[in-house]
């Protein structure tokens, strides 16, 4: 089941609690059947036809479904449900006089022997500072929480013929995470660092209905079964799902 393994790698490739690795289980036992499970952080969100959705070939619907989950080994999944603990964590980040706050909802596993609580969430940490440059203006500090809110970043895409260029850089380095250039008419050229988690993209080929590459949550997946953690993707033309 290559597709299932691809989804496991998309979710980090290991149990979110005990770190049991999918790849190692494959090396050791030649299979990962019955060892790992997707745990819905909010069970009410589970797709009514979950079993079928998860079995199909890679699709946006399937990724939407596993985005609601954390990957757990079977044992840890059992412990989580047996303890039945939920919680939330609030992050507040201060950079250059600006503050961003994010509350993450999740579940907890308590280890009494190690005196440790593990917080498990399917949500992305977005309280990360970036620099956004619009056209030739000086780059300005924006948090991921702001860039994502109501498509704040995407609203600039529509103005591309006027602003010509849009770039997002890491806050503390010159690393370019997103570079969108107007190349005439309605066309644009976009280079996206796969690790940039704010933008969700689906890249389609000419005459193809289904995406060839999905980029989301800082991970890339191809319909051929590759999972990409590092690198950039450059595309021109139609962009679906942004
Ligand atoms: Zn585990």
């Amino acid at each position: 089941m290559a597709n299932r393994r691809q989804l496991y790698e998309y979710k980090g490739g290991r149990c979110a609690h005990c770190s049991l690795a999918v790849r190692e289980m494959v090396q050791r036992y030649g299979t990962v059947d019955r060892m790992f499970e997707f745990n819905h952080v909010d069970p009410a969100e589970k797709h009514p036809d979950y079993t079928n959705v998860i079995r199909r070939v890679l699709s946006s619907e399937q990724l939407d479904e596993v985005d609601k989950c954390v990957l757990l080994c079977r044992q840890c999944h059992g412990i989580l449900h047996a303890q039945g603990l939920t919680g939330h964590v609030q992050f507040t980040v201060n950079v250059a006089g600006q503050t961003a706050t994010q509350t993450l909802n999740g579940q907890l596993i308590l280890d009494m022997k190690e005196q440790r609580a593990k917080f498990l969430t399917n949500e992305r940490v977005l309280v990360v500072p970036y620099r956004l440059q619009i056209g030739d203006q000086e780059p300005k500090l924006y948090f991921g929480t702001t860039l994502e809110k109501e498509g704040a970043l995407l609203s600039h895409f529509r103005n591309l013929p006027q602003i010509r260029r849009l770039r997002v850089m890491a806050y503390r380095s010159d690393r370019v995470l997103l570079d969108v250039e107007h190349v005439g008419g309605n066309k644009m050229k976009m280079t996206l660092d796969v690790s940039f988690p704010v933008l969700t993209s689906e890249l389609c080929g000419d005459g193809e209905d289904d995406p060839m590459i999905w980029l989301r949550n800082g991970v890339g997946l191809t319909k051929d079964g590759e999972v990409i953690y590092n690198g950039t993707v450059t595309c021109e033309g139609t962009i679906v799902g942004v």
Side-chain angles (χ1 to χ4, degrees):
M1 269 213 292
N3 180 46
R4 180 65 69 95
R5 286 240 289 276
Q6 193 181 9
L7 292 178
Y8 288 166
E9 292 298 332
Y10 170 60
K11 296 300 290 182
R14 51 183 65 239
C15 171
H17 180 241
C18 74
S19 298
L20 186 77
V22 172
R23 216 166 281 182
E24 202 199 321
M25 291 302 101
V26 175
Q27 281 170 359
R28 205 177 278 275
Y29 304 114
T31 176
V32 279
D33 282 2
R34 299 165 185 266
M35 293 180 220
F36 291 90
E37 289 165 343
F38 293 114
N39 166 63
H40 285 75
V41 173
D42 180 357
E45 296 267 307
K46 191 167 178 173
H47 197 290
D49 197 17
Y50 172 76
T51 309
N52 274 323
V53 167
I54 218 73
R55 274 193 190 142
R56 290 181 209 139
V57 293
L58 191 64
S59 68
S60 305
E61 189 184 28
Q62 202 176 54
L63 291 174
D64 287 345
E65 194 60 28
V66 299
D67 278 351
K68 302 171 191 170
C69 303
V70 292
L71 182 65
L72 291 172
C73 74
R74 217 171 217 200
Q75 176 165 299
C76 293
H77 198 186
I79 297 166
L80 182 117
H81 283 292
Q83 291 192 328
L85 301 169
T86 58
H88 63 265
V89 169
Q90 185 174 299
F91 283 114
T92 300
V93 175
N94 249 296
V95 177
Q98 289 192 45
T99 304
T101 300
Q102 184 183 12
T103 303
L104 302 173
N105 295 303
Q107 295 159 308
L108 292 160
I109 293 180
L110 292 186
D111 185 331
M112 322 298 183
K113 200 175 163 196
E114 303 284 338
Q115 300 271 310
R116 194 172 57 198
K118 181 97 174 202
F119 178 74
L120 302 164
T121 182
N122 61 316
E123 295 180 53
R124 288 167 295 167
V125 175
L126 290 170
V127 274
V128 176
Y130 298 105
R131 286 179 299 135
L132 172 69
Q133 185 174 30
I134 298 164
D136 296 328
Q137 293 173 17
E138 274 295 299
K140 281 191 193 145
L141 163 66
Y142 280 86
F143 287 96
T145 38
T146 314
L147 289 179
E148 205 207 27
K149 213 175 283 171
E150 290 150 21
L153 186 57
L154 296 181
S155 64
H156 297 295
F157 278 57
R158 284 191 282 278
N159 297 328
L160 211 55
Q162 288 83 48
I163 63 173
R164 317 296 293 179
R165 194 171 195 184
L166 175 73
R167 297 206 299 167
V168 176
M169 278 84 67
Y171 185 70
R172 294 187 202 284
S173 75
D174 285 330
R175 188 162 163 213
V176 178
L177 301 168
L178 174 70
D179 190 349
V180 192
E181 256 185 295
H182 181 237
V183 290
N186 288 327
K187 295 227 182 255
M188 62 174 158
K189 183 178 164 188
M190 179 174 88
T191 302
L192 179 64
D193 192 303
V194 171
S195 70
F196 183 56
V198 176
L199 202 63
T200 296
S201 297
E202 299 176 354
L203 312 179
C204 300
D206 271 350
E208 296 230 12
D209 288 335
D210 298 320
M212 296 163 68
I213 303 176
W214 288 263
L215 299 167
R216 44 164 86 193
N217 297 316
V219 182
L221 298 106
T222 73
K223 71 171 186 182
D224 297 328
E226 297 283 329
V227 182
I228 308 159
Y229 300 106
N230 299 301
T232 57
V233 174
T234 298
C235 61
E236 265 183 78
T238 316
I239 304 159
V240 178
V242 297

